[in-house]
Amino acid sequence: MLTALLAAVPTPTPSPSPTPGPGGGSFEITHTMSPTTVAILLLLALLIDWMSVGPNSLRDRLAFIIAVPTIREGFDGSPLDQWTVETLSKLVQSLLDSTGGAYIAGASINFVLGAGIALLWIYAVGCMLPIKLSKKLGRFATLSFPASGLRRLNAPLWIVAILLGLMSDLPGGLVGDTARALIDAAATLVAPWPAMLFGDA
């Protein structure tokens, strides 16, 4: 009887492997893009930046909006993600150790790293805001990614996009929750573009 009941229970579908989240917890990686969509969007973001399509401010914003969710979809939880976190953690640890046993040396590496990514998000939001908002928000709204030369990738933009795409799961609190909500919204926005532009795979 028990054997028959167990046989009738449907086999659960495999779920994505948990990945460390803010505060050391875990969450499941859910993908909203296919691997093909990720590859096409990444190429599109690189091409927009390299070809200098439109004014610099528009080009930077468009490339960034495409790049961050695409990098998260394609590489979050990958060996590259793990290597990046480990490398930055070692860097933070070496900086704390260099204080010579001062009180600050006892700071939590995970929370310092998460706070650093949160601050990087705040900088990125300032770069994305239209300059006309500077009347209300001050110089924060006038931030922008340093300009790159013609037919060159904007290295600062891509460094920020890669770090935020890989490590936006680290910050907690209001900034971390807002950052992840923004990435989810951007992913929903850009995911249909390959099919609209080039047709279904």
Side-chain angles (χ1 to χ4, degrees):
M1 179 71 173
L2 181 59
T3 305
L5 288 174
L6 291 175
V9 176
T11 304
T13 56
S15 59
S17 58
T19 301
S26 65
F27 69 97
E28 293 183 349
I29 300 174
T30 55
H31 294 281
T32 58
M33 303 179 190
S34 69
T36 304
T37 299
V38 170
I40 293 174
L41 284 175
L42 192 56
L43 288 173
L44 185 61
L46 289 166
L47 193 62
I48 288 171
D49 187 23
W50 180 76
M51 290 178 62
S52 300
V53 178
N56 287 348
S57 58
L58 177 62
R59 175 201 66 198
D60 290 347
R61 288 181 174 93
L62 184 58
F64 188 81
I65 288 173
I66 297 173
V68 174
T70 303
I71 292 169
R72 183 191 188 196
E73 286 279 331
F75 299 98
D76 193 15
S78 69
L80 174 62
D81 185 12
Q82 297 170 11
W83 177 85
T84 305
V85 173
E86 290 173 2
T87 301
L88 290 178
S89 296
K90 290 177 181 177
L91 176 62
V92 172
Q93 182 65 65
S94 65
L95 291 174
L96 293 176
D97 291 342
S98 68
T99 61
Y103 184 67
I104 194 176
S108 168
I109 297 175
N110 290 338
F111 280 99
V112 170
L113 198 56
I117 297 300
L119 293 174
L120 190 61
W121 256 111
I122 293 172
Y123 165 75
V125 168
C127 292
M128 299 297 289
L129 290 173
I131 295 179
K132 62 183 179 181
L133 288 180
S134 61
K135 293 180 180 179
K136 295 182 179 180
L137 300 178
R139 293 184 179 180
F140 175 66
T142 64
L143 291 173
S144 62
F145 295 109
S148 61
L150 189 64
R151 302 293 186 272
R152 289 183 183 175
L153 292 178
N154 190 329
L157 181 150
W158 282 98
I159 290 172
V160 173
I162 290 170
L163 289 175
L164 295 183
L166 293 177
M167 305 179 70
S168 287
D169 302 320
L170 295 181
L174 180 61
V175 176
D177 293 341
T178 303
R180 285 182 288 276
L182 289 173
I183 293 182
D184 291 340
T188 303
L189 174 67
V190 303
W193 290 10
M196 288 190 300
L197 293 172
F198 311 112
D200 292 326

